[in-house]
Amino acid sequence: MAKYVLDRYEGDWAVLEDESGRMLKVGRDTLPQVSEGEALEEEDGYWRVDPERTERLRRQARARMERLKRNQ
């Protein structure tokens, strides 16, 4: 199962980032309703949002921002 995060939309395309930082462009209409920053999984050509991973990634990002603010 491949894991990605939606980086951004570019017109009819969605730009996804995999766990190693590689970018992948897929047709926007091939994905479920998804917002930038949400985690996705692809298996056998089917995409699904991974809400648990999305929340974990958001918590990690908030923690990084808090550390940066404290170190200024």
Side-chain angles (χ1 to χ4, degrees), residues 7-65:
D7 183 65
R8 66 186 178 278
Y9 287 113
E10 293 179 350
D12 292 336
W13 297 97
V15 180
L16 309 175
E17 183 176 0
D18 73 8
E19 294 179 300
S20 66
R22 288 181 298 214
M23 305 305 261
L24 172 69
K25 232 180 198 185
V26 299
R28 187 178 190 150
D29 61 349
T30 64
L31 299 177
Q33 185 76 20
V34 61
S35 299
E36 294 172 353
E38 286 191 85
L40 294 157
E41 295 179 342
E42 183 271 332
E43 188 170 17
D44 298 325
Y46 294 99
W47 294 94
R48 75 171 194 85
V49 175
D50 182 342
E52 292 84 18
R53 185 165 169 251
T54 296
E55 184 54 34
R56 186 173 61 250
L57 292 170
R58 288 181 177 161
R59 278 195 311 270
Q60 291 169 351
R62 283 192 297 270
R64 279 193 301 273
M65 291 301 291

